[in-house]
Structures are given as structure tokens and as C-alpha cells.
Amino acid sequence: MSSALLIIDMQVGLFYGPDKPHDGERVLANIRQLIHRARAREVPIYAVRHTGPEGSPIEAGSPFWQLLPELELDANVDTLFDKTRPNCFLGTRLAQQLTDASINHVFIVGMKTQYCIDSTCRAAAEQGLQVTLVADAHTCMDTAALSAKMIIEHHNATLGGAFVKLMNTADARF
């Protein structure tokens, strides 16, 4: 089985914006561990940026649109791409790139749990991929209805089993 790490929307404007992600520093540290582990095993890394419309804080090319420098991603080695919808497959070449690379298993991490993480986990399963959601490596912000902690716990419970295999960073093996 060939695996890849898929990092979703770990962008300056989302991570360091006015609404802080739940347990953000721990999540970032976990993602960095997974990147180092992937690199050591020569596992491909795909990282996506959500691109907002012109004039939005995360419009293409803006400082807030950039991926977090702390991830130490390299456009010469890693596959970096953009999306405009929550589902990382919709309107992108991701499915074809994974097929071309003979990848059939993705480990998913990043932001925001109830939007892009949820949509992409479901879409990846529909693509026929095996999906591992790294339960302690995705996050979001509090909402008026629910705390971020509750959103994350709910999505881990909802997605786990039906759409993804859940695993913590410490147990993730590529």
C-alpha cells in the first residue's frame, strides 16, 4: 500500500488570525512530526491552500494565504496546490495526482475540522482511497453553537469507522 500525507489549509491567515485554532500549537507540532516522519520514509506530502475570492484576506498571493513557514514545505519536493471549495478533490487535480503516483492511502491533517477536513475525508473515501484521519492533528475554532473541542470530538466520532480510520500522531505509520 502506498501512502501520502495530505495537509489541509495550514495557512497564516487561518492559523494566526483573530480567532485562534483550538490547541493550535500542539496540532502544529503534531503535523510537523508527521512531516518529518513522512520525509524519513520518502512518503509524498501534498499541501493545499484554500484560496478566497479577490479582495478576501486569503486571496491568492496575499500574506495570509501562504502556508505556514513552520511546516518547512518545499515546492520542489512537495506537491502544493490550491482549492476554492472545502473538498480538496473538487476542482483540483488531486485525485489524478494520487492515481498517477499509485497512492491508495491518505493521512489527513490540518484545518478546519467541520469544513475542509470533514468534506475531504468523505470525498477521499468516495474516491476509493483508504483514509486515516490523524485525530490529534486537525483543528478549528470555537463557534457560537459549539466549542472547537466539541466539534473535533464530534467529527472524530462521526467520521471514524464509517469514512476513516482514526489514529493519533504517535501511532501513525506510513
Side-chain angles (χ1 to χ4, degrees):
M1 178 177 308
S2 185
S3 299
L5 176 61
L6 176 58
I7 303 167
I8 301 174
D9 298 349
M10 290 298 289
Q11 294 167 254
V12 172
L14 297 175
F15 194 81
Y16 292 117
D19 296 325
K20 301 299 180 217
H22 172 71
D23 232 355
E25 292 304 320
R26 181 189 51 81
V27 169
L28 178 58
N30 288 346
I31 293 172
R32 286 177 45 94
Q33 279 183 44
L34 292 164
I35 289 169
H36 292 299
R37 203 174 296 155
R39 290 208 193 293
R41 298 202 32 117
E42 298 182 355
V43 168
I45 297 170
Y46 293 77
V48 61
R49 290 178 286 235
H50 192 85
T51 303
E54 189 174 324
S56 82
I58 57 171
E59 74 176 315
S62 73
F64 291 149
W65 173 75
Q66 304 301 325
L67 292 165
L68 293 173
E70 296 95 311
L71 298 174
E72 300 175 345
L73 296 169
D74 181 349
N76 295 316
V77 177
D78 306 316
T79 302
L80 310 180
F81 65 103
D82 304 322
K83 65 178 179 59
T84 58
R85 301 281 192 256
N87 171 355
C88 289
F89 293 92
L90 186 62
T92 72
R93 295 191 58 248
L94 180 59
Q96 189 60 52
Q97 289 171 319
L98 295 174
T99 298
D100 291 349
S102 299
I103 292 167
N104 55 14
H105 184 195
V106 290
F107 287 76
I108 295 179
V109 301
M111 292 177 67
K112 294 182 177 180
T113 300
Q114 72 273 40
Y115 298 114
C116 302
I117 298 295
D118 178 87
S119 296
T120 301
C121 284
R122 293 169 190 263
E126 289 172 0
Q127 294 281 332
L129 294 165
Q130 289 192 350
V131 184
T132 298
L133 175 59
V134 185
D136 61 354
H138 65 94
T139 190
C140 60
M141 292 77 164
D142 292 336
T143 69
L146 291 172
S147 71
K149 184 176 188 290
M150 290 176 69
I151 293 167
I152 294 163
E153 288 174 357
H154 168 79
H155 279 79
N156 283 343
T158 301
L159 294 169
F163 300 97
V164 305
K165 179 178 180 180
L166 289 174
M167 188 173 294
N168 284 323
T169 299
D171 300 318
R173 298 286 177 263
F174 300 106

